[in-house]
Amino acid sequence: DNVVSPFKMGALMMRTARAEEALVFFRMSSELRPDAPVVHNNVGLTCTKLQMFEEATAAFERGLEASKDAQAKGMILNNMGIMYKEMGETEKAMECFEQALRLPSVEAYINKASSLIDAGEYEEAEKCMREGLRVKFHPVGVKMLVVSLAFQDRIVEASELLLSSGLDRNEERKLISEAAHMLAGSGKHMHGVELFTAFGLLEAEDWYHVGLILTEQHMNKLGMRAYVTALRLEPEHEMALSAAAVHLYKMTRFKEAEKMFARALQVAGRPESLSDAYNGLGASIEMTHSRLNQSVVFFEEAVKANPRNEPAYFSWVHLRCRLCDWREHERLFEEVRKMIDRGATGGLGPIFGLAYPLSDEQMCTVARARAREAVGNVKRMRNEFVPWAPNFAAIPEKLGIAIVSADFNMKPVGQLIQSVFKMMDKDKFEIFAFMLEAHDNSHVMANIANSVDEWNWCKGLSPLVVAQMVNNEQPNILIDFSGFTDGARNEIGALKPAPVAVNYLGFPYTLTMEGFDYILSDRVVLPPEQHTSCFPEKVAWLPNMYMVNDHKQSQAEQILGDFTAANASNLSLPHRSQQLVLANFNHLQKLGPHTFHLWLRIMQELPDSVLWLLRFPPEAEPNLRREFEEREIGLSRLHLSDKFPSKIHLNVKRAASLLLDTLEYNAHVSGLDALWAGLPLVTLAGSNMARRCGASFLRTMKVPQLLARTSEEYVSIATQLGENPRKLQELRDKVEYSRSNGILFDTKGWVKEFESMLRLMWEVAAATEGKKTRHIV
């Protein structure tokens, strides 16, 4: 019993997707029965799932040593081969499969055929699988043979083979669905669709799978038609309703998605389906930026229906944070941290994770989870993509720079970089822009489009197609300005359509993906000691500040003249001439309870002060008021205003006395806005890049007295300035002087440093023929 119980517990944990806990029990089993191959095999399989490949290899080798019969050896060799295949070590994988074939087993033939298909050797895969099916009939073997034929454009033959296989209609439908999805996963989406049509009369289930394949290929309208056809044939087809709702959500048709999820809710037969429908309802409503309290309720219902619905749990916690509902905050995040520690991230957006109370290791887990899908896509695309090969010995007349983003528009990235490419030396650089989103008719997009050598619209195109477009231009360096933000296509840079790939600006953290050579930063935002093993990128440290801005060009008029107490009164705003106005203009999702409670302490020390925040979102107001009441601070001292029009927002913010930074996630663009408006900024250098931008701004502006080293010092600096109006005015004068005469807002100077860094990147690549990178200072 002592031996069986841990093994059974491990198997139970694996069935409930708790791999890390399963590993504990399987390790225990292997210690108790080192002579049993199956326990070592299970340790290896679990370690493979957790990407702990070194321990997996050792476990499989122990299993082989313990194996006394061919069946056990064949099983372990097959699994070992699958591990090597996942690691990208194709030769070792094939060697394992070849050894297994000599035992022999049909599973070994199946795995070898799969590896041959991955390598693009379709005729060899067909030959291998036909031989394997002569050893023993196996449905998966039939599927592999169908796929190998389809890859050779022998669709009719593949369909006929399946129809003559002796399987019943349901088994045939299941296999053809799996084969079609396998083809689609290798980039042969239309081959998958053709398999279905060659199979015969399509039923609702088939149209559902056709929809999945088409939407994976970004053929959105055709995919939606397939789902609609499935629902015409079977109006309550649960999976088609769910897939159609998810697809509408991805197409940003949120109101239609909400209606479709509501239909899915009505037919949901299992707790998991019910939970998914509630989760979809919550997400669709949240994205309309209205009825957020209702969205919270739906997320909570999703968690109640299925406590293991990780995306629903993370969405529920995240939305509560957005609404500043910090009741049970520590308990909720204790569970979040436990989930992340066991590898469950539930689709948590890394950009939000940066603001959460997570360790560096946990944040790395979140980023790697987001990267995993892109890494898998890149592996599948490599057979169809050949990067251009530069002549590293030749000195290029111009460096070709490919810039890729979904944010070359009115979003923060676009606003910050809108003058950069116009200022670059066009005798030395050629800029190719690839815009992943649609036209927003903004002047910012026009500024960027008019300043580059070539502008390409890529909305709706697959990452492979965009990578091929980039490749055709033969750029030396690619810069991904999106990172892990909405609309990103990280596969493009990872495919290496440029010999050097750079992660910059959109996401202030590592992408954790091989293929990206550099992350652009400065020594304050990313000091050497914070460049951990999580970062595959080397750091290119700019000499001053890493974050470029455009305020001197596009925001100069907003700081002309003054914003008087009378102007403020007309807008029902407080004014620094009449009281001490502590302010922060971030989206409230950057605010956490730690920072807010520090602000309340500051207000208790400064009884004449008011706190000015944006009502962003409005549903947060009752929760903020509750925090004030619990600290017995008068509600009249909390001032919430709506966002102001972009033409006047900087001038309006000059009514504030002092900007208090959010320590969970610093003010980035809003911090630059405040400094441009003349507001002193009090901040603290935190534990990741997102929490250190304020420190970089202050160092560049040469006002280090505003930079705290601890939370206590943060409170002390703000309190002392609030108590000393003359000192506060002196700092304000210094900020305004530095704004006009310093380097923080000197875009032209930043561009020269940027150009020098790009040249250094290429020099390193040329010197090593693109084989090595190093940190660049």
Side-chain angles (χ1 to χ4, degrees):
D1 287 347
N2 289 336
V3 178
V4 174
S5 295
F7 187 82
K8 285 185 175 179
M9 284 300 297
L12 177 63
M13 294 297 108
M14 284 299 286
R15 283 198 296 274
T16 54
R18 295 154 70 180
E20 291 195 350
E21 294 167 75
L23 183 57
V24 173
F25 289 108
F26 286 142
R27 282 172 177 161
M28 195 184 305
S29 295
S30 68
E31 289 171 6
L32 291 167
R33 281 292 305 275
D35 60 328
V38 68
V39 296
H40 299 298
N41 180 65
N42 281 21
V43 171
L45 285 171
T46 310
C47 287
T48 300
K49 184 176 181 64
L50 295 170
Q51 298 191 321
M52 298 164 60
F53 297 121
E54 190 173 336
E55 184 177 346
T57 303
F60 286 135
E61 287 174 349
R62 287 194 300 272
L64 288 173
E65 289 174 11
S67 297
K68 305 297 183 186
D69 60 77
Q71 184 176 353
K73 276 190 177 178
M75 170 185 70
I76 293 171
L77 284 167
N78 273 315
N79 291 332
M80 204 170 183
I82 292 167
M83 176 198 70
Y84 282 128
K85 184 179 170 186
E86 188 170 329
M87 292 168 67
E89 297 189 26
T90 307
E91 288 185 11
K92 288 185 177 180
M94 293 293 284
E95 186 180 331
C96 287
F97 297 144
E98 290 285 359
Q99 288 183 51
L101 283 173
R102 290 194 284 271
L103 291 175
S105 76
V106 69
E107 288 82 4
Y109 284 99
I110 289 169
N111 289 323
K112 184 182 178 184
S114 175
S115 294
L116 288 166
I117 287 169
D118 287 346
E121 298 180 28
Y122 308 125
E123 290 183 13
E124 287 298 313
E126 177 194 349
K127 181 180 175 183
C128 171
M129 206 58 257
R130 288 189 187 279
E131 188 176 336
L133 288 171
R134 282 194 289 271
V135 172
K136 182 182 178 183
F137 178 82
H138 197 294
V140 178
V142 175
K143 178 179 74 176
M144 300 307 300
L145 184 52
V146 166
V147 169
S148 65
L149 290 169
F151 268 117
Q152 298 174 62
D153 292 320
R154 293 156 64 187
I155 301 291
V156 174
E157 188 178 342
S159 179
E160 289 173 349
L161 170 78
L162 189 59
L163 290 170
S164 63
S165 63
L167 297 168
D168 67 34
R169 187 69 173 174
N170 288 333
E171 288 175 318
E172 287 174 350
R173 177 164 276 111
K174 181 174 180 286
L175 277 188
I176 209 158
S177 171
E178 290 173 355
H181 282 287
M182 190 173 174
L183 287 161
S186 300
K188 297 290 186 181
H189 296 77
M190 295 314 297
H191 284 60
V193 173
E194 286 175 29
L195 257 185
F196 273 113
T197 55
F199 183 57
L201 185 64
L202 300 190
E203 298 179 6
E205 181 75 6
D206 304 317
W207 280 111
Y208 156 67
H209 285 288
V210 168
L212 288 179
I213 292 169
L214 290 169
T215 54
E216 283 171 7
Q217 184 64 6
H218 302 280
M219 302 173 77
N220 295 327
K221 291 182 179 178
L222 288 175
M224 199 65 215
R225 281 184 192 172
Y227 293 140
V228 170
T229 302
L231 292 171
R232 275 203 205 101
L233 293 170
E234 192 178 328
E236 296 188 354
H237 191 288
E238 188 175 318
M239 299 304 291
L241 279 169
S242 179
V246 169
H247 188 54
L248 286 166
Y249 178 88
K250 288 180 178 178
M251 293 169 69
T252 69
R253 291 160 61 177
F254 301 120
K255 290 184 178 178
E256 293 172 79
E258 180 187 347
K259 292 177 182 177
M260 193 66 76
F261 278 120
R263 283 179 62 186
L265 187 66
Q266 297 302 313
V267 302
R270 299 171 296 117
E272 294 82 3
S273 302
L274 189 70
S275 180
D276 288 341
Y278 274 125
N279 185 47
L281 275 169
S284 300
I285 293 169
E286 183 182 9
M287 291 306 294
T288 64
H289 306 292
S290 63
R291 297 181 288 141
L292 295 183
N293 289 323
Q294 186 181 2
S295 184
V296 170
V297 171
F298 282 133
F299 286 137
E300 187 172 10
E301 288 298 322
V303 173
K304 287 177 181 176
N306 178 17
R308 295 197 175 279
N309 188 336
E310 295 159 8
Y313 187 84
F314 282 113
S315 296
W316 178 49
V317 174
H318 171 66
L319 188 50
R320 288 186 63 168
C321 289
R322 276 190 68 190
L323 303 185
C324 303
D325 182 0
W326 299 312
R327 293 169 295 182
E328 303 182 288
H329 185 79
E330 185 49 42
R331 182 186 68 79
L332 293 173
F333 271 98
E334 184 179 350
E335 182 59 28
V336 165
R337 288 187 287 268
K338 285 180 182 176
M339 291 167 73
I340 293 171
D341 286 341
R342 63 174 184 257
T345 62
L348 170 63
I351 195 75
F352 303 126
L354 289 169
Y356 288 166
L358 306 178
S359 68
D360 291 340
E361 187 177 347
Q362 288 162 343
M363 185 61 225
C364 184
T365 299
V366 171
R368 282 177 173 158
R370 175 64 180 269
R372 198 170 294 133
E373 182 181 353
V375 169
N377 291 340
V378 168
K379 284 182 180 177
R380 289 191 290 272
M381 294 172 188
R382 286 206 189 280
N383 289 336
E384 297 185 62
F385 184 79
V386 181
W388 76 282
N391 178 3
F392 287 107
I395 299 174
E397 181 181 341
K398 294 182 181 181
L399 277 182
I401 311 297
I403 59 172
V404 181
S405 182
D407 299 330
F408 296 145
N409 47 29
M410 275 300 289
K411 291 182 180 178
V413 165
Q415 293 181 50
L416 293 172
I417 67 170
Q418 61 181 301
S419 294
V420 167
F421 309 110
K422 180 170 61 178
M423 293 180 179
M424 289 182 71
D425 186 343
K426 293 302 175 64
D427 292 329
K428 297 178 180 176
F429 295 91
E430 192 172 14
I431 314 297
F432 311 103
F434 298 85
M435 175 57 170
L436 304 177
E437 270 301 330
H439 204 309
D440 69 348
N441 296 312
S442 68
H443 67 279
V444 170
M445 179 179 282
N447 288 344
I448 298 171
N450 292 333
S451 66
V452 300
D453 295 277
E454 287 194 25
W455 176 270
N456 298 273
W457 293 106
C458 305
K459 169 75 173 177
L461 299 181
S462 72
L464 178 60
V465 171
V466 179
Q468 288 166 338
M469 291 169 65
V470 176
N471 202 50
N472 290 341
E473 302 295 350
Q474 299 191 349
N476 304 88
I477 299 171
L478 178 146
I479 306 173
D480 183 329
F481 282 92
S482 290
F484 291 141
T485 56
D486 289 343
R489 299 282 188 274
N490 310 113
E491 298 93 336
I492 298 166
L495 280 167
K496 304 295 281 188
V500 177
V502 182
N503 165 25
Y504 175 55
L505 196 60
F507 176 64
Y509 194 66
T510 173
L511 297 179
T512 72
M513 294 175 64
E514 297 297 333
F516 281 88
D517 304 285
Y518 295 102
I519 181 169
L520 196 63
S521 191
D522 64 51
R523 282 186 171 271
V524 175
V525 169
L526 182 54
E529 62 270 19
Q530 288 193 8
H531 182 265
T532 65
S533 59
C534 188
F535 285 71
E537 310 102 323
K538 298 296 184 184
V539 188
W541 281 294
L542 289 169
N544 291 298
M545 190 186 73
Y546 102 105
M547 183 174 284
V548 68
N549 63 76
D550 196 63
H551 290 69
K552 188 171 280 189
Q553 290 71 236
S554 57
Q555 306 292 343
E557 291 185 3
Q558 284 214 34
I559 57 169
L560 297 176
D562 196 10
F563 189 78
T564 65
N567 297 140
S569 178
N570 290 337
L571 295 172
S572 301
L573 295 175
H575 195 274
R576 60 189 169 87
S577 66
Q578 298 173 334
Q579 56 194 143
L580 181 68
V581 183
L582 307 173
N584 184 277
F585 302 115
N586 276 342
H587 190 299
L588 290 173
Q589 70 187 20
K590 289 187 176 182
L591 177 61
H594 173 66
T595 294
F596 195 70
H597 294 154
L598 293 180
W599 291 355
L600 296 183
R601 281 180 56 193
I602 293 166
M603 295 187 74
Q604 288 171 329
E605 295 290 326
L606 301 170
D608 295 329
S609 63
V610 297
L611 180 63
W612 177 15
L613 304 174
L614 293 182
R615 194 180 285 110
F616 192 27
E619 290 89 344
E621 185 169 350
N623 294 318
L624 294 173
R625 289 180 173 275
R626 184 181 60 250
E627 295 286 336
F628 264 62
E629 289 172 341
E630 288 178 358
R631 296 298 177 103
E632 298 182 348
I633 299 175
L635 293 178
S636 62
R637 296 176 64 192
L638 174 63
H639 188 92
L640 292 163
S641 67
D642 294 325
K643 290 180 71 177
F644 294 95
S646 59
K647 290 184 178 180
I648 66 167
H649 80 109
L650 288 179
N651 200 25
V652 168
K653 290 169 184 175
R654 299 170 78 190
S657 309
L658 183 66
L659 193 82
L660 300 178
D661 206 356
T662 41
L663 306 185
E664 291 84 359
Y665 195 116
N666 284 178
H668 290 202
V669 177
S670 64
L672 288 168
D673 287 346
L675 291 167
W676 182 249
L679 292 184
L681 165 69
V682 180
T683 191
L684 183 155
S687 59
N688 62 44
M689 291 177 68
R691 298 172 184 172
R692 300 179 67 86
C693 273
S696 177
F697 299 160
L698 297 183
R699 183 202 70 161
T700 308
M701 265 200 147
K702 296 184 170 54
V703 282
Q705 57 269 53
L706 291 168
L707 177 60
R709 289 166 294 184
T710 65
S711 297
E712 291 300 316
E713 193 174 10
Y714 176 85
V715 173
S716 177
I717 290 171
T719 302
Q720 289 176 28
L721 289 173
E723 292 173 339
N724 192 333
R726 193 176 80 172
K727 187 176 180 182
L728 180 57
Q729 185 57 49
E730 286 174 359
L731 272 172
R732 193 180 188 101
D733 292 341
K734 190 167 185 179
V735 167
E736 290 190 348
Y737 177 82
S738 181
R739 174 185 67 196
S740 303
N741 301 284
I743 60 175
L744 182 65
F745 296 104
D746 179 9
T747 313
K748 289 182 180 178
W750 186 93
V751 167
K752 287 179 180 175
E753 295 171 356
F754 178 60
E755 289 179 330
S756 297
M757 184 58 72
L758 294 175
R759 284 192 289 269
L760 284 170
M761 289 176 183
W762 185 249
E763 286 172 14
V764 171
T768 64
E769 295 189 340
K771 295 174 183 174
K772 290 184 180 179
T773 56
R774 62 174 175 80
H775 296 310
I776 302 178
V777 181

